[in-house]
Amino acid sequence: MKQPLRVGIAGLGTVGGSVARLLARHAEGLALRAGRRVALTAVCARDRTRDRGVDLGQATWHEDAVALARDPQVDCVVELIGGDEGPARTLVETALAAGKHVVTANKALLAKHGMGLARIAEENGVALAFEASAAGGVPVVKTLREGLAGNAVSQVSGILNGTCNYILSRMEAEGLSFAECLADAQRLGYAEADPTFDVEGFDTAHKLAILTSLAFGVALDPEAIYVEGISKIAPLDLKMASELGYRIKLLGVAERTQTGIEQRVHPTMVPRISSLAQVMGVTNAVTIDADAVGELTLIGPGAGGDATASAVIADICDVAAGVVRPAFGLPAARLAPPERAPMQRHEGGYYIRLSVYDRPGSAAGIATRMAQADISLESIIQHRARTADADPTGRSGAPVPVVLITYATTEAAIREALARIDADGHVAEPPQVIRIERE
Amino acid sequence: MKQPLRVGIAGLGTVGGSVARLLARHAEGLALRAGRRVALTAVCARDRTRDRGVDLGQATWHEDAVALARDPQVDCVVELIGGDEGPARTLVETALAAGKHVVTANKALLAKHGMGLARIAEENGVALAFEASAAGGVPVVKTLREGLAGNAVSQVSGILNGTCNYILSRMEAEGLSFAECLADAQRLGYAEADPTFDVEGFDTAHKLAILTSLAFGVALDPEAIYVEGISKIAPLDLKMASELGYRIKLLGVAERTQTGIEQRVHPTMVPRISSLAQVMGVTNAVTIDADAVGELTLIGPGAGGDATASAVIADICDVAAGVVRPAFGLPAARLAPPERAPMQRHEGGYYIRLSVYDRPGSAAGIATRMAQADISLESIIQHRARTADADPTGRSGAPVPVVLITYATTEAAIREALARIDADGHVAEPPQVIRIERE
């Protein structure tokens, strides 16, 4: 049997500890699968004293991540520090340049510096593997990179953030507000103390950037992503979605359109019967549409120490087996420059909830503005306010919610029509706009 | 760039034709992904004249599959002939022994001879790849073989036959009989003229045998599989399932139990909220339960020329990239001998539909027999016959359907109790027994 693959882990938190334990527990199986043993020879973590449930006595402890990247006893560096700059970036760049394979779960680093890192990996003939960086334990990176070589992908859409899906699932099931569900998510450890990164869609955007590159053979282009979070979703929107046969999910969607690759993250109405609509709680899911295979959906845990570690171990096993392929499917220099499809040209159906002053002419005025922007309405639903101070005669002009569902139109048309409706003084609040993905 | 991978395709039917077209269409992408070109240098098919939508002028035509396997201009043989003996077997054995990689979609061949073929492949240092053999375009083979190296799998369960899922979906949606839906499936090309192989579960069993080996690191053991098809499922069973919060699916299930590996194919009641219950029509799906990752579900097309070809191309691309790993995850000699868990010791809940003579003592007699076998009943549902000749007084003793749902018990206990109930003369027909998979 060949020499063992010598692995160094930087970062021994929840995921890193689990990786160390799984390497020990599956040592024999990994050796048989890869044709060589995998040995944990170095680690780097702040706290040496914490019990991680595994004997690390054989591993060299490094104070400094860069020292681990330069350790001649390490063939493969596992980066689990996190962050798109600082030690994580230096560690990965140093390791690749030193001819060491790198396995990482760091979506922020990849979204920002993935192209440069892929180039360094290729120049040095080593692997840059990152199954754990998107959708956690779900093998979507491998599927896109290796499993669909005979396909042209037309769309990738996914529930890529468990925190958001948990909050939306509970809001729908229990009729609670965003703030109430967020507080619960924080109590249960599903959301950070500062939840902005998750609930405003930035985490989903990082993951989407990675999947877009893999799916379409284009260079990473995270700055092109339109990003909108879930903090403005109201219980009424979830109720209306349900009445209309939809569920609201925070989706990351990348799509090949006539104008280029459209990348967007936003709350989305998906048909209740679709695979993605069934995915509740912290679970992640990705649906891929491709010309040969048709529609594939992968569902599984998007976070958690063991689930993420499962993806890291799969990458380590590939590295041990000698698999060195271009990080993003194609060689970095051959990835097409991203052709951005501007969000203004997005086409699709829209759910628009307006808070309309209930007085003569409002409805006609709104309908006229939509027609002027060439928007056809599939349905109009008016739910009268039922609060104590609502006016039962409907003559006071107090605002009432009105929901419009449009046929396919463009983002630009919607924005134009809503600006005019606002200027006309028909609405009391900024409109709620939720894009619809039909089957 | 390295020398091209020279591919020979044996069998140019629906799948083979699609493979040839996809190889041509994605020639450049495949070369970039694999680091070398893939060239179609030889084919073997009966009909030379049929237009397959691709120029085969550069390929050598072989009359005989074995000649293709021996062609020195071929590095990788794609076997799409089918059948577990005859030309397909000879072709694959000859090719592997001649040091050529083999890609195949042939589940029957693999279920029967997979161990021997894996050994020949290893001895010759070549790949034996078969993503297309189970669940068609769904990348479940790659996921089990490579993606879960850091896991111990506890269960794999799947909808692996599109014909059966189509028939059950239509029976449920439209209240039609098995025979009516089968006839429709045949008309639409979803079922063969002789549907036995599909509807009686044998096709699912072949696929399950392959997945079991990959999931548990055990030698293939198709003969250990308990197989029961869907031809006896009645519309009433689907109606009852729906009332009870279940759907009926033909599942292949492999499970690690205390007595060994249990492998079974049978109609199964799955909770309506489970991922597998959502899968309707000809679509396939596989759920994997594993200790690190938790639950993964993969959903996609299980058949069709292009979807199957998509999986074949992914295998070819892996071969072109130089990936040669043990066919069933572990080296054939290191796969554990299968420890068969006998079906009699299967534990789970049961749905039992009896046709009971409606006379004094029947219910008590049945309940007594269940209790004697230590079976606890979760519910008893009696639907009185509503046909014209039914006796409204209920005193005629004409048979009425009675459904029992049991708590977890064993197959042996159920069989014993039902044999006694039959011997007691309480029932007019053989009972309908459907196993329940709870979450």
Side-chain angles (χ1 to χ4, degrees):
Chain A
M1 204 178 258
K2 294 175 211 156
Q3 290 293 308
L5 178 80
R6 297 167 303 173
V7 169
I9 303 178
L12 283 176
T14 314
V15 178
S18 179
V19 170
R21 285 191 298 278
L22 291 176
L23 283 178
R25 190 191 303 162
H26 293 289
E28 200 190 343
L30 287 167
L32 292 172
R33 284 175 188 281
R36 61 199 284 208
R37 298 194 72 79
V38 176
L40 181 57
T41 53
V43 291
C44 172
R46 261 169 295 182
D47 185 356
R48 279 198 185 211
T49 56
R50 181 147 45 112
D51 179 11
R52 294 175 171 92
V54 57
D55 179 13
L56 299 170
Q58 300 303 306
T60 307
W61 277 82
H62 292 280
E63 293 298 324
D64 171 40
V66 176
L68 181 136
R70 294 209 177 101
D71 186 337
Q73 301 300 313
V74 170
D75 307 311
C76 174
V77 167
V78 178
E79 186 274 305
L80 299 169
I81 299 171
D84 61 3
E85 296 293 346
R89 182 182 178 191
T90 313
L91 166 73
V92 170
E93 287 180 350
T94 308
L96 293 173
K100 298 180 197 305
H101 308 285
V102 169
V103 174
T104 177
N106 190 333
K107 59 224 169 241
L109 176 71
L110 290 164
K112 193 162 173 187
H113 301 295
M115 290 299 92
L117 298 176
R119 261 179 242 114
I120 306 176
E122 282 168 32
E123 284 159 14
N124 290 278
V126 292
L128 170 62
F130 46 82
E131 183 63 79
S133 68
V138 182
V140 62
V141 170
K142 189 178 263 289
T143 296
L144 285 170
R145 196 181 52 211
E146 302 167 17
L148 298 178
N151 287 262
V153 175
S154 54
Q155 191 184 61
V156 178
S157 50
I159 295 169
L160 299 170
N161 183 278
T163 308
C164 290
N165 207 51
Y166 171 82
I167 291 172
L168 291 173
S169 298
R170 284 212 55 197
M171 285 178 72
E172 183 194 324
E174 300 173 41
L176 299 174
S177 72
F178 170 77
E180 287 170 296
C181 294
L182 172 60
D184 267 4
Q186 286 170 322
R187 204 161 44 236
L188 291 164
Y190 294 156
E192 308 279 340
D194 176 0
T196 312
F197 194 70
D198 288 318
V199 302
E200 296 306 345
F202 302 116
D203 173 74
T204 299
H206 285 157
K207 294 166 180 168
L208 181 65
I210 295 166
L211 299 185
T212 302
S213 175
L214 289 162
F216 299 102
V218 295
L220 283 159
D221 190 17
E223 310 212 332
I225 303 177
Y226 172 85
V227 182
E228 195 184 301
I230 62 164
S231 58
K232 293 197 185 71
I233 298 295
L236 178 57
D237 299 318
L238 291 153
K239 189 167 162 289
M240 294 302 306
S242 179
E243 284 182 23
L244 293 160
Y246 293 94
R247 279 211 169 105
I248 299 176
K249 298 289 183 189
L250 183 75
L251 293 194
V253 181
E255 192 174 354
R256 190 181 281 285
T257 73
Q258 288 186 324
T259 46
I261 306 287
E262 191 175 283
Q263 297 184 80
R264 48 197 166 86
V265 173
H266 52 68
T268 313
M269 306 252 270
V270 293
R272 275 181 91 88
I273 57 157
S274 67
S275 296
L276 292 182
Q278 317 302 325
V279 177
M280 305 303 272
V282 294
T283 303
N284 281 18
V286 180
T287 292
I288 302 161
D289 290 296
D291 60 350
V293 78
E295 184 181 297
L296 275 186
T297 299
L298 284 65
I299 305 170
D306 283 353
T308 309
S310 164
V312 170
I313 299 279
D315 280 345
I316 295 173
C317 190
D318 280 354
V319 168
V323 176
V324 178
R325 292 166 83 163
F328 292 93
L330 306 182
R334 301 304 294 270
L335 291 164
E339 270 184 88
R340 296 180 177 183
M343 193 61 192
Q344 288 295 310
R345 295 179 70 169
H346 167 69
E347 290 184 28
Y350 286 77
Y351 160 101
I352 298 161
R353 177 166 57 78
L354 300 167
S355 184
V356 179
Y357 290 116
D358 194 11
R359 57 199 176 199
S362 292
I366 290 166
T368 303
R369 290 310 192 187
M370 300 301 274
Q372 284 171 344
D374 257 344
I375 298 167
S376 301
L377 298 178
E378 186 182 298
S379 45
I380 303 176
I381 304 135
Q382 184 162 338
H383 273 241
R384 273 187 190 279
R386 293 186 197 281
T387 54
D389 57 353
D391 169 18
T393 67
R395 288 189 206 124
S396 69
V400 293
V402 173
V403 168
L404 311 176
I405 303 292
T406 78
Y407 285 106
T409 178
T410 66
E411 182 86 8
I414 290 287
R415 293 295 163 195
E416 181 197 318
L418 292 179
R420 290 191 177 162
I421 288 166
D422 188 40
D424 291 341
H426 294 310
V427 294
E429 290 169 31
Q432 172 74 292
V433 176
I434 304 178
R435 293 163 197 85
I436 301 173
E437 291 285 320
R438 297 198 168 96
E439 283 291 84
Chain B
M1 203 176 255
K2 294 176 212 157
Q3 289 293 309
L5 178 79
R6 299 168 302 174
V7 169
I9 302 178
L12 283 177
T14 314
V15 178
S18 179
V19 170
R21 284 191 299 278
L22 292 176
L23 283 178
R25 190 191 305 162
H26 294 288
E28 199 190 346
L30 287 166
L32 292 172
R33 286 175 187 280
R36 62 199 285 208
R37 298 194 72 81
V38 176
L40 181 56
T41 53
V43 291
C44 171
R46 259 170 294 183
D47 184 356
R48 278 198 188 212
T49 57
R50 181 145 48 108
D51 179 10
R52 293 173 173 94
V54 58
D55 178 14
L56 299 170
Q58 301 302 307
T60 307
W61 277 83
H62 291 280
E63 293 299 324
D64 170 41
V66 176
L68 181 137
R70 293 210 177 100
D71 185 337
Q73 301 300 314
V74 169
D75 307 310
C76 174
V77 168
V78 178
E79 184 274 305
L80 299 169
I81 300 171
D84 60 3
E85 297 292 348
R89 182 181 179 191
T90 312
L91 166 73
V92 171
E93 287 180 348
T94 307
L96 293 172
K100 297 180 197 306
H101 309 285
V102 169
V103 174
T104 178
N106 190 333
K107 59 225 170 241
L109 175 70
L110 289 163
K112 192 161 174 189
H113 300 295
M115 291 297 94
L117 298 175
R119 261 179 243 114
I120 305 175
E122 283 168 31
E123 284 160 13
N124 291 278
V126 291
L128 171 63
F130 45 83
E131 183 62 80
S133 69
V138 182
V140 61
V141 170
K142 189 177 262 289
T143 296
L144 285 170
R145 195 181 53 209
E146 302 167 19
L148 299 177
N151 288 263
V153 175
S154 54
Q155 192 184 62
V156 177
S157 49
I159 296 169
L160 300 170
N161 184 278
T163 308
C164 290
N165 207 51
Y166 170 82
I167 291 173
L168 291 171
S169 298
R170 285 215 51 197
M171 284 178 71
E172 183 194 324
E174 300 173 40
L176 300 174
S177 72
F178 170 79
E180 286 169 295
C181 294
L182 172 60
D184 268 3
Q186 286 170 322
R187 202 159 46 234
L188 292 164
Y190 294 157
E192 308 279 340
D194 176 0
T196 312
F197 194 69
D198 289 316
V199 302
E200 295 306 346
F202 302 117
D203 173 74
T204 299
H206 285 158
K207 294 166 179 169
L208 182 66
I210 294 166
L211 299 184
T212 302
S213 175
L214 289 162
F216 300 102
V218 296
L220 283 159
D221 190 17
E223 311 215 331
I225 303 176
Y226 172 85
V227 183
E228 196 184 300
I230 63 165
S231 59
K232 294 199 183 71
I233 298 294
L236 179 57
D237 298 317
L238 290 154
K239 189 165 164 289
M240 295 301 307
S242 180
E243 283 182 24
L244 293 159
Y246 292 94
R247 279 211 169 105
I248 300 176
K249 297 289 182 189
L250 182 74
L251 292 193
V253 181
E255 193 175 355
R256 189 179 283 287
T257 72
Q258 289 186 325
T259 46
I261 308 286
E262 192 175 283
Q263 295 183 83
R264 49 197 165 84
V265 173
H266 52 68
T268 312
M269 306 252 274
V270 293
R272 275 181 92 86
I273 56 157
S274 66
S275 296
L276 292 183
Q278 316 304 324
V279 177
M280 306 302 274
V282 294
T283 303
N284 281 20
V286 181
T287 292
I288 302 162
D289 290 296
D291 59 350
V293 78
E295 184 180 297
L296 276 187
T297 299
L298 284 65
I299 306 170
D306 283 353
T308 308
S310 165
V312 170
I313 299 280
D315 280 344
I316 293 172
C317 189
D318 281 354
V319 168
V323 177
V324 177
R325 292 167 81 163
F328 292 92
L330 306 181
R334 302 302 295 268
L335 291 164
E339 272 183 86
R340 297 179 177 183
M343 194 61 193
Q344 288 295 311
R345 295 180 70 170
H346 167 68
E347 290 184 29
Y350 285 78
Y351 160 101
I352 298 161
R353 177 166 57 79
L354 300 167
S355 185
V356 179
Y357 290 116
D358 194 11
R359 56 198 177 201
S362 291
I366 289 166
T368 303
R369 290 310 191 186
M370 299 302 274
Q372 284 170 344
D374 256 344
I375 299 166
S376 300
L377 297 178
E378 188 183 296
S379 47
I380 303 176
I381 303 135
Q382 184 162 339
H383 275 240
R384 272 188 191 280
R386 293 187 196 280
T387 54
D389 58 353
D391 169 18
T393 67
R395 289 192 204 119
S396 70
V400 292
V402 173
V403 168
L404 312 176
I405 303 292
T406 79
Y407 285 106
T409 178
T410 65
E411 182 86 8
I414 291 287
R415 293 294 164 198
E416 182 197 317
L418 292 179
R420 290 193 176 160
I421 288 166
D422 188 42
D424 291 342
H426 294 310
V427 294
E429 290 169 30
Q432 173 72 293
V433 176
I434 303 178
R435 293 163 198 86
I436 300 173
E437 290 284 320
R438 296 197 170 95
E439 287 287 88

